[in-house]
Amino acid sequence: MNGLRTLVVMGSQTQGLLLKLLLEERGVETVCVEGIEPALAAIAGTAQDLLIVEGELAGPTGLAELRARSDAAVLVLGRGAGEHDPSDPKAVVENACALLDRRSAPPTEPEIFRRAHILIVDDSATYREFLRAELEHEGCTVTAARNADEAVAALAGGGLDCVILDLVMPGTSGTQLCERFDRFRRQRGLFFQIVILTSQDDEEQLMISLNAGADDFVGKAQEMNVLKVRLMALLRRKYFVEDHLMRLPRP
């Protein structure tokens, strides 16, 4: 479980340190604090994978605030319904590790697509809406743009995971727009993916598109499942970097 982080929030320093010892024996990096304010400070400074929180200490308000400030799983200690008995630290650690195992498991294809916000840029209304319907059927959130101006406006709104860009666009080429999008993400430290989608499926266009900053190149003549699989692979890599690599401390 190397790389996973747990924050233990308990009023008893002795119990907290015992959980820390048991978790670290399982390879889980663990920090203990004795109140909600130190816990909030800890999660503000370092992303956590799991919060183990003494329910009576935190109270409903404290638990709600911790959940609002962190996307970590939460394991509540106490003797009420849905809580874990703090008098059995080994069982607490087993439950904690089970939660961490589920959290670190690779995402499924439906999970990847349900998370995705995709921008489609294509001047063909027919193909644009066809592609929107296919991706929304998979669970994606989709924004569509007819031209470069609409695409740039959508990009400026933020929150995108991938741009699917037609190579042939009125007024500007898809390659020029790809270069513009690539500069935009580099200047702002963003990590959305760029996929060129075109009927000109040849080696020369592939090289031009990749050199312009595209992350992949898919011909429109390909089966829709090919686009979906390649899109899923790009998104899986993006989410892995965001969820894991970007959280590592910088040297």
Side-chain angles (χ1 to χ4, degrees):
M1 290 192 177
N2 290 339
L4 295 175
R5 302 189 186 102
T6 294
L7 178 67
V8 176
V9 187
M10 297 192 70
S12 168
Q13 186 179 50
T14 302
Q15 286 183 303
L17 289 175
L18 176 58
L19 288 176
K20 174 180 169 68
L21 176 63
L22 293 172
L23 286 163
E24 289 185 341
E25 286 178 350
R26 303 285 288 269
V28 181
E29 181 183 336
T30 307
V31 172
C32 296
V33 296
E34 298 177 31
I36 294 301
E37 290 304 320
L40 293 172
I43 62 179
T46 305
Q48 303 291 331
D49 298 289
L50 175 66
L51 308 180
I52 300 177
V53 186
E54 185 179 350
E56 187 175 347
L57 172 68
T61 302
L63 284 170
E65 191 164 7
L66 288 170
R67 287 189 169 105
R69 301 280 190 92
S70 173
D71 65 353
V74 179
L75 191 152
V76 182
L77 302 182
R79 301 185 188 279
E83 298 181 339
H84 298 263
D85 187 355
S87 67
D88 189 351
K90 290 185 178 180
V92 170
V93 168
E94 288 299 326
N95 285 311
C97 289
L99 281 173
L100 289 169
D101 279 339
R102 289 197 293 273
R103 185 176 179 86
S104 60
T108 64
E109 184 174 328
E111 288 172 339
I112 290 171
F113 281 132
R114 284 196 298 268
R115 181 174 172 177
H117 185 179
I118 297 173
L119 171 64
I120 300 168
V121 188
D122 197 311
D123 64 309
S124 167
T126 303
Y127 193 80
R128 190 172 64 242
E129 293 308 312
F130 164 72
L131 193 53
R132 181 206 287 271
E134 287 285 335
L135 294 177
E136 287 182 343
H137 178 73
E138 298 295 337
C140 301
T141 299
V142 179
T143 299
R146 297 171 296 177
N147 51 47
D149 290 341
E150 289 185 1
V152 171
L155 196 67
L160 293 174
D161 296 300
C162 184
V163 177
I164 299 176
L165 179 60
D166 186 22
L167 186 64
V168 180
M169 296 285 294
T172 182
S173 72
T175 302
Q176 291 172 324
L177 199 51
C178 181
E179 291 174 340
R180 186 174 177 181
F181 282 5
D182 188 45
R183 284 196 302 271
F184 183 94
R185 66 182 176 181
R186 290 176 184 279
Q187 290 168 353
R188 291 161 177 79
L190 301 175
F191 196 50
F192 60 84
Q193 304 292 285
I194 303 173
V195 177
I196 292 287
L197 190 61
T198 180
S199 55
Q200 301 176 26
D201 190 3
D202 57 60
E203 185 174 337
E204 181 181 0
Q205 286 298 337
L206 169 65
M207 298 299 295
I208 291 172
S209 299
L210 295 181
N211 285 329
D215 298 290
D216 206 347
F217 177 97
V218 182
K220 285 185 176 181
Q222 296 270 16
E223 293 286 335
M224 178 55 60
N225 284 339
V226 173
L227 172 61
K228 289 180 180 178
V229 168
R230 294 172 79 164
L231 181 60
M232 185 269 295
L234 287 174
L235 291 168
R236 182 175 56 204
R237 181 181 66 184
K238 175 185 189 292
Y239 296 147
F240 175 75
V241 171
E242 290 177 342
D243 294 344
H244 298 282
L245 299 186
M246 286 183 175
R247 299 171 63 228
L248 296 176
R250 294 187 179 183

